[in-house]
């Protein structure tokens, strides 16, 4: 009798590789570890007192190894992660020791890499020893660049090739590295990254850029006045040096700006004896201009400007300060800066591949003394892997369409000669222009309305009301009152309940958009469609057609579906779920997280309903998943007349470190929800995590196997070489590239009652990507997870009292809490309305639901 198989994973073990589709070869930004260390690696825990940032820790570590390598560290070249962990190729001659600088080093463990070899070859589970070994390799490859360059997370950045962003910032190119286990080997995943840094050099010039004026002379103006408080907030914490004391290497930090100009900033000068060349024989009061002239023979050019306060008793003129290089900008970029950043980072595949190779030249793995000491060798060539391009499904529109059924090419199609599957009737609607008639004249608005009506009619909608009322409002006024009045005027115009408010916005700013969605979703209970004024001024048919798709699904229509037999897994009643949790910005400790769940409402997975919950901030699991699932199970039954026999859950926003917690909690909640609905009800469940935040990229090896942007073709799937050694995961690049290098979605199966084969799950996931209702393209990951992400982000706008900003700081949120923080999730009486509107946003209202007002 044969022995039972070894349990090598708590998740789903990988089935046989898929075979469906056309075989192609691609390169990926992984580099094979040709030789792993063949030694015992010694792990030490390090504590630096007091607690200081990683860059300071690294300087201390460098001084420690320089001073004690030969005498106390056995001549080893250890590596350090900048926080708590030291890894050494040789054992130190002590178990625990405290060095000067208050650095305590204590032996933690000894790592045998044989266990890692067994894991990579599928003969052992991923143990803590394996995880520590992988961490050691990660620290090893990042140690040297971290000691030489500005480091953020797993990336290091260099000013080589930097470019200016709008305002006081530059964008630097960085290089990301991560040691990753793969099939039978370790790989180094390397990618390019980018982040914003303050521009080094004159602090005064930096202030000019922040103030958005042309020159330093413009800082003197009084109308409109310079916002010095805003400037102070931007530069606070910046480190700088001064030019009047060239011998001193000391750096300073900006604490504040003085409220008075340099010529009016007075202080008491202490008597001689402290080394100050301008010190008098006895204490006198002087001003900054006089002091610098007397002490350093410097005549200040801009005595009318504020000064920098760099400490309790340190005040320095702006013009003498120079910003130190390599200081990262931590706040959110504004619209112009974001545009500049996108231009810098959107690199065609071949350009990105070449930039990655440039990073290799900087890293010089072959010449790295630390890698040599540990006995590790890394290939300098990208790995070549076998991929497949899955066949596209047949997409269907209304039977009366001239091109009712077709197979998309290159992941995109258009609405020419096509009518939506189920068009709705739009009878009561209004146009709300947030601006003046001078901004967007009435004839232009009417022209846009005519073009929109034509496009909607051609795509299968019915619009009997050809002259909706047009209302102009102040974008900075009382938005709620404006929308209430618009709702009343719209209803009175045709004597019926308004269905839609089309809102024309002057820009893409968040505050106005957020308030419109809050009011229409939670106060008025009416669908809204926002669009930019520039599109209303010059309406284009393709744009109007895309708006029509959104309007149709918001009113309850269905745009497209896949032909019968395209998704055999859905032949039995199947509930396709998508889940996500949206968290507040980093540093925000007042706002909660928002969990969302969407579920399919038909056997074509073309219509979805949604539900949301508020939960404790930064809780990654969906806390109320059980009750949310019950809601969607009931809605599925009301629409389909049957309970689902299968549940396929695509979960967005989960990192690898959270897999175990999410699996344990959320699968149990799904099962409990089924039991709550009916005792003994046990549909088969498959739980798949969808990840987009990763650094894996694929590069076609042949031009004919790429799309027009040079990216891999839509439907490219990879389930070999760069995937997990034993667990069921794969990469799927389902969309056509528009700009830059496409990022594939990473699908990771944590639980599978349905016993999917690789081909079955990969094919189903790719075909679902053709059913995103809001555009005529395949999308980058499955619509259920995509919708869940949209719903969670949208629900954040529903809180009353939010102060949205286009340049919200990552440190924001310290002010007044929003109204939803004071209401318990289970007692939120307005949720029935919110859920209802979110259903409209995705697919329209479900006929069995009853409108409930409170």
């Amino acid at each position: 009798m044969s022995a039972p198989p070894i349990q090598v994973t708590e998740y789903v073990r990988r089935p046989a590789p898929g075979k469906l589709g056309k075989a192609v070869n691609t390169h990926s930004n992984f580099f094979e570890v040709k030789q792993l260390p063949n030694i015992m690696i010694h792990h030490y825990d390090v504590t630096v007192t007091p607690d200081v940032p990683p860059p300071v820790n690294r300087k201390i570590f460098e001084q420690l190894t320089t001073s004690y390598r030969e005498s106390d560290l056995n001549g080893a070249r250890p590596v350090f992660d900048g926080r708590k962990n030291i890894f050494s190729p040789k054992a130190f001659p002590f178990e625990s020791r405290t060095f000067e600088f208050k650095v305590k080093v204590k032996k933690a463990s000894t790592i045998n890499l044989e266990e890692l070899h067994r894991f990579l070859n599928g003969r052992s589970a991923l143990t803590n020893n394996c995880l520590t070994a992988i961490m050691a390799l990660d620290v090893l490859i990042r140690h040297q660049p971290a000691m030489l360059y500005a480091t953020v997370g797993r990336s290091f950045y260099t000013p080589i090739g930097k470019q200016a962003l709008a305002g006081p910032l530059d964008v630097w190119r960085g290089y990301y590295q991560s040691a990753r286990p793969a099939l039978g080997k370790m790989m180094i995943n390397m990618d390019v990254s980018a982040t914003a840094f303050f521009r080094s050099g004159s602090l005064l010039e930096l202030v000019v850029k922040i103030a958005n004026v042309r020159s330093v002379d413009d800082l003197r103006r009084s109308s409109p006045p310079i916002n010095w408080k805003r400037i102070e907030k931007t530069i606070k914490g910046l480190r700088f040096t001064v030019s009047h004391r060239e011998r001193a290497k000391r750096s300073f930090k900006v604490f504040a700006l003085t409220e008075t100009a340099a010529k009016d900033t007075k202080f008491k000068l202490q008597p001689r004896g402290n080394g100050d060349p301008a010190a008098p024989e006895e204490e006198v009061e002087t001003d900054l201009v006089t002091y610098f002239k007397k002490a350093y023979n410097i005549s200040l050019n801009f005595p009318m400007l504020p000064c920098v306060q760099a400490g309790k008793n340190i005040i320095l003129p702006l013009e003498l300060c120079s910003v130190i290089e390599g200081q990262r900008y931590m706040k959110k970029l504004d619209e112009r800066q974001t545009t500049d950043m996108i231009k810098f980072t959107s690199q065609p595949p071949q350009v990105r591949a070449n930039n990655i190779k440039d990073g290799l030249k900087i890293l010089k793995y072959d010449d790295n003394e630390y890698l040599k000491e540990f006995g590790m060798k890394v290939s300098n060539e990208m790995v070549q892997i076998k991929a497949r391009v899955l066949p596209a499904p047949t997409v269907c529109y209304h039977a009366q369409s001239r091109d009712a059924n077709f197979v998309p090419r290159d992941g995109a199609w258009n609405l020419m000669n096509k009518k939506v599957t189920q068009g709705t009737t739009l009878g009561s609607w209004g146009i709300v222009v947030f601006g003046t008639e001078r901004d967007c004249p009435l004839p232009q608005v009417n022209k846009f309305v005519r073009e929109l009506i034509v496009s909607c009619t051609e795509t299968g909608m019915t619009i009997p009301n050809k002259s909706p009322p047009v209302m102009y409002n102040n974008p900075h006024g009382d938005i709620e009152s404006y929308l209430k009045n618009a709702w009343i005027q719209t209803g009175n115009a045709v004597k019926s309940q308004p269905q839609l408010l089309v809102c024309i916005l002057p820009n893409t700013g968040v505050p106005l958009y957020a308030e419109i969605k809050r009011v229409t979703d939670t106060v008025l209970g009416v669908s809204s469609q926002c669009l930019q004024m520039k599109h209303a001024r010059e309406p284009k048919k393709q744009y109007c057609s895309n708006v029509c798709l959104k309007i149709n699904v918001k009113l309850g229509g269905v745009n497209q579906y896949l032909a019968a037999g395209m998704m055999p897994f859905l032949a039995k009643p199947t509930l396709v779920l998508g889940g996500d949790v949206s968290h507040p910005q980093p540093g925000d400790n007042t706002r909660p997280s928002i969990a969302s769940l969407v579920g399919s409402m038909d056997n074509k997975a073309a219509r979805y309903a949604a539900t949301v919950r508020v939960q404790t901030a930064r809780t990654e699991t969906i806390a109320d998943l059980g009750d949310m699932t019950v809601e969607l199970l009931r809605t599925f039954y009301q629409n389909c007349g049957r309970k689902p026999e299968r549940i396929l859950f695509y979960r967005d926003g989960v990192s690898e470190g959270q897999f175990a917690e999410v699996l344990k909690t959320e699968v149990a909640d799904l099962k409990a929800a089924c039991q709550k609905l009916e005792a003994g009800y046990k549909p088969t469940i498959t739980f798949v995590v969808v990840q987009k935040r990763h650094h894996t990229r694929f590069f076609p090896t042949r031009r004919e196997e790429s799309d027009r942007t040079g990216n891999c073709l839509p439907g490219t799937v990879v389930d070999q070489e760069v995937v997990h050694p034993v667990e069921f995961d794969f990469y799927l690049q389902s969309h056509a590239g528009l700009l830059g290098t496409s990022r594939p979605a990473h699908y990771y199966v944590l639980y599978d009652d349905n016993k999917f084969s690789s081909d079955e799950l990969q094919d189903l996931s790719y075909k679902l990507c053709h059913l995103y209702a809001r555009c005529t393209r395949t999308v980058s990951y499955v619509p259920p997870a995509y919708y869940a992400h949209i719903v969670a982000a949208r629900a954040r706008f529903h809180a009353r009292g939010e102060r949205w900003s286009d340049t919200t700081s990552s440190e924001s949120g310290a002010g007044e809490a929003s109204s939803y923080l004071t209401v318990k999730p289970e007692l939120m009486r307005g949720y029935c309305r919110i859920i209802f509107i979110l259903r409209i946003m995705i697919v329209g209202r479900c006929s069995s639901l009853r409108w409930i007002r409170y």
Side-chain angles (χ1 to χ4, degrees), residues 206-226:
L206 202 74
V207 167
V208 168
K209 292 293 184 180
I210 298 170
N212 196 25
V213 295
R214 287 179 296 180
S215 67
V216 178
D217 290 333
D218 292 331
L219 293 173
R220 311 181 191 200
R221 72 187 186 197
S222 58
S223 179
I226 300 298

Side-chain angles (χ1 to χ4, degrees), residues 732-747:
L732 173 60
Q733 191 164 306
S734 52
H735 62 299
L738 287 174
L739 192 65
T741 305
S742 296
R743 187 201 319 247
H746 187 202
Y747 294 82

Side-chain angles (χ1 to χ4, degrees), residues 60-243:
I60 293 172
F61 176 80
E62 184 177 29
Q63 183 63 44
L64 177 75
T65 53
T66 301
S67 302
Y68 295 100
R69 173 176 291 124
E70 297 301 329
S71 60
D72 294 82
L73 301 181
N74 200 18
R77 287 184 181 271
V79 293
F80 179 43
D81 68 355
R83 296 187 183 276
K84 292 288 293 181
N85 299 284
I86 290 176
F87 296 96
S88 174
K90 299 178 183 178
F92 298 156
F94 57 81
E95 289 295 316
S96 177
R97 179 172 171 186
T98 300
F99 293 85
E100 58 184 273
F101 323 111
K102 296 184 180 178
V103 180
K104 183 179 180 180
V105 179
K106 181 180 179 181
K107 183 70 174 282
S109 64
T110 301
I111 306 167
N112 187 342
L113 268 68
E114 177 56 34
E115 198 167 333
L116 177 61
H117 282 285
R118 291 200 301 270
F119 164 69
L120 296 173
N121 290 291
R123 301 196 309 269
S124 171
L126 182 62
T127 62
N128 288 333
N129 189 60
C130 292
L131 289 172
T132 307
I134 295 169
M135 180 173 68
L137 300 180
D138 223 21
V139 174
L140 175 57
I141 60 174
R142 288 190 280 120
H143 176 80
Q144 184 164 287
M147 301 296 284
L148 300 174
Y149 304 103
T151 302
V152 180
R154 294 176 182 269
S155 298
F156 68 92
Y157 294 86
T158 76
I160 300 171
K162 66 182 179 183
Q163 290 186 15
L165 298 178
L169 308 179
D170 290 330
V171 55
W172 289 20
R173 176 165 289 121
Y175 300 94
Y176 168 93
Q177 297 180 95
S178 177
R180 303 284 300 175
L183 286 171
K185 63 192 77 171
M186 286 296 298
M187 296 273 196
I188 305 301
N189 179 207
M190 185 173 176
D191 195 18
V192 291
S193 55
T195 197
F197 288 82
F198 280 98
R199 192 166 301 139
S200 59
S202 168
L203 179 58
L204 188 55
E205 290 298 326
L206 202 74
V207 167
V208 168
K209 292 293 184 180
I210 298 170
N212 196 25
V213 295
R214 287 179 296 180
S215 67
V216 178
D217 290 333
D218 292 331
L219 293 173
R220 311 181 191 200
R221 72 187 186 197
S222 58
S223 179
I226 300 298
N227 189 343
W228 287 104
K229 284 296 180 183
R230 174 175 167 269
I231 293 171
E232 179 186 82
K233 184 178 179 180
T234 302
I235 66 174
K236 188 174 182 179
L238 269 183
R239 290 180 292 110
F240 64 92
T241 57
V242 291
S243 58

Side-chain angles (χ1 to χ4, degrees), residues 23-27 384-388 716-721:
V24 296
N25 290 320
T26 70
H27 284 113
Q384 182 168 313
I385 56 180
K386 295 178 180 179
R388 291 170 288 116
T716 298
V717 64
V718 172
D719 59 4
Q720 300 184 56
E721 295 288 338

